[in-house]
Amino acid sequence: MSSTVPDPTDTSASTAASASFPDVRMRRLRTHPRLREMVRETRLSPSDFILPLFVRHGENQRIPISSMPGHSQLTVDLLSAEVAEIASLGIPAVILFGIPSEKDAVGSDACDENGIVAEAVRAIKAGNSDLLVITDVCFCEFTDHGHCGIVNDRHGALDVDNDATLEILATQAVTHARAGADMVAPSGMMDGMVGAIRGGLDAVGFTNLPILSYAVKYASAFYGPFREAVESAPGFGDRRSYQMDPANAGEALREAALDVAEGADLLMVKPALAYLDIIRRVKDAHPGVPLAAYNVSGEYAMVKAAAEAGWIDEQGVAMEILLAIKRAGADMILTYFAKDACRWLA
Ligand code: PBG
């Protein structure tokens, strides 16, 4: 007889694995709501979220970003109230993106101690907030051509000059650190960016300032609404000579390994939803390195638009997406849903 009562003294895994219906009924664990909660493998909490904020110069202005309902460009004076609300929801961290009043070829505002991001960091820190303030370190918001670094003519084609950009990336990171940033997050996909920034920070004493590297960042169509938000669409060409081809997964592992070797303290995969396989593989390759995933603007806008049309349930879909990102291996999620998710979790 094959269907006998299992020997209770046999604890070998094979017994459990070979058990089957009707001895095993998976639905038993799904019957009671409390039990379902107890056997849940992945949980979201407010401490998982990092909220992106868009800041600009000026006074008392909140300029809505049309493709990202619920998000606005905020003037620096409004930040302390905003930050108080964010902290009261239990969100531990924000990441700042700046819209400078003037853009030029080399993104000077980004390295200016009175530039928009430095000013925003100081404004938040002046309010004695204990929020973790992360700054995005990149040039696309600050250059008039919208590319992520210094553009040079290379053999008749305009392209971002990697090594020239490394120098100003280190300067930008130091500018943010001096303003009081708690962590810097380079997003420009320049080769050697983590090492250059680490060197720049260490040289002036910021040896303990962590670097969250956008190690695995794809050239994605999902960034569309963000580029409206910071007015950073490239003036010519695209970002495919520095951001990754969405077709590549092995390359993601090389990118992550290089950044870890250069001293990245945390890694990021971006976007998130269409790259859950990449999140899992990077986490498995670097289990000891905290991993962030960026649930980007286009992912947010799709949910918002479908919800506004009445086609999906916003809360259900948003929470399922965030849960999936965490289940895939992310330890933290940069998301425009951060505030809503905290309210839904409460
Ligand atoms: C670059 C940067 C981008 C985003 C974050 N940092 C845009 C880009 O690479 O074009 C996109 C974030 C989003 O879409 O939500 N500084």
Side-chain angles (χ1 to χ4, degrees):
M1 278 235 339
S2 59
S3 136
T4 51
V5 177
D7 171 1
T9 62
D10 182 356
T11 54
S12 72
S14 62
T15 307
S18 64
S20 60
F21 180 83
D23 298 328
V24 174
R25 290 181 183 270
M26 294 303 285
R27 291 182 57 185
R28 281 182 205 128
L29 293 175
R30 299 179 195 141
T31 49
H32 196 292
R34 292 282 164 256
L35 183 56
R36 285 202 295 271
E37 263 169 44
M38 293 173 77
V39 300
R40 185 164 296 149
E41 297 174 34
T42 309
R43 284 167 215 275
L44 290 168
S45 111
S47 60
D48 297 329
F49 304 130
I50 299 169
L51 178 69
L53 287 180
F54 300 102
V55 290
R56 63 181 301 141
H57 295 291
E59 255 176 66
N60 198 25
Q61 272 184 294
R62 186 177 274 276
I63 303 168
I65 301 160
S66 60
S67 54
M68 299 173 65
H71 288 269
S72 304
Q73 298 180 352
L74 298 178
T75 51
V76 173
D77 56 325
L78 299 181
L79 279 175
S80 57
E82 179 70 21
V83 155
E85 188 204 352
I86 292 165
S88 75
L89 288 164
I91 298 170
V94 293
I95 182 163
L96 300 180
F97 295 97
I99 299 99
S101 32
E102 274 175 44
K103 306 195 184 205
D104 61 23
V106 295
S108 306
D109 189 274
C111 298
D112 184 335
E113 63 176 312
N114 297 313
I116 182 59
V117 172
E119 207 180 278
V121 173
R122 277 194 300 271
I124 294 174
K125 291 293 170 183
N128 277 326
S129 166
D130 68 351
L131 206 63
L132 185 87
V133 179
I134 308 170
T135 57
D136 184 81
V137 174
C138 188
F139 283 91
C140 59
E141 294 124 70
F142 305 96
T143 52
D144 50 15
H145 46 70
H147 279 283
C148 299
I150 293 174
V151 170
N152 276 338
D153 195 324
R154 266 179 76 84
H155 315 298
L158 291 175
D159 198 6
V160 176
D161 182 329
N162 191 87
D163 298 10
T165 302
L166 292 183
E167 282 175 42
I168 59 172
L169 277 172
T171 307
Q172 184 183 16
V174 168
T175 307
H176 294 174
R178 288 199 167 123
D182 299 301
M183 191 187 289
V184 291
S187 65
M189 289 301 281
M190 295 299 120
D191 288 318
M193 68 180 183
V194 172
I197 289 171
R198 184 74 274 155
L201 289 170
D202 288 359
V204 293
F206 291 106
T207 47
N208 269 344
L209 197 93
I211 299 175
L212 162 58
S213 177
Y214 287 66
V216 180
K217 177 173 176 181
Y218 288 91
S220 170
F222 285 97
Y223 307 149
F226 174 94
R227 292 180 186 170
E228 180 209 323
V230 300
E231 300 149 23
S232 75
F236 63 88
D238 54 42
R239 302 208 205 289
R240 284 185 291 181
S241 76
Y242 41 104
Q243 298 179 350
M244 284 177 54
D245 183 339
N248 297 350
E251 187 186 348
L253 299 179
R254 288 185 78 193
E255 284 282 7
L258 284 165
D259 282 11
V260 170
E262 284 174 38
D265 301 284
L266 308 90
L267 296 171
M268 192 195 303
V269 170
K270 174 184 175 189
L273 187 54
Y275 298 86
L276 296 178
D277 57 329
I278 307 297
I279 294 172
R280 168 49 55 198
R281 291 171 73 166
V282 170
K283 188 67 202 174
D284 286 346
H286 302 279
V289 184
L291 181 62
Y294 201 141
N295 174 220
V296 299
S297 58
E299 301 172 44
Y300 175 80
M302 290 193 304
V303 175
K304 283 285 177 184
E308 266 166 38
W311 296 337
I312 58 167
D313 167 47
E314 180 183 354
Q315 177 177 344
V317 169
M319 292 305 266
E320 191 173 324
I321 289 172
L322 294 171
L323 190 73
I325 294 168
K326 192 165 178 191
R327 192 195 60 230
D331 300 297
M332 58 198 85
I333 307 171
L334 294 89
T335 178
Y336 304 99
F337 282 115
K339 283 189 192 176
D340 292 325
C342 290
R343 292 192 191 101
W344 293 329
L345 285 167

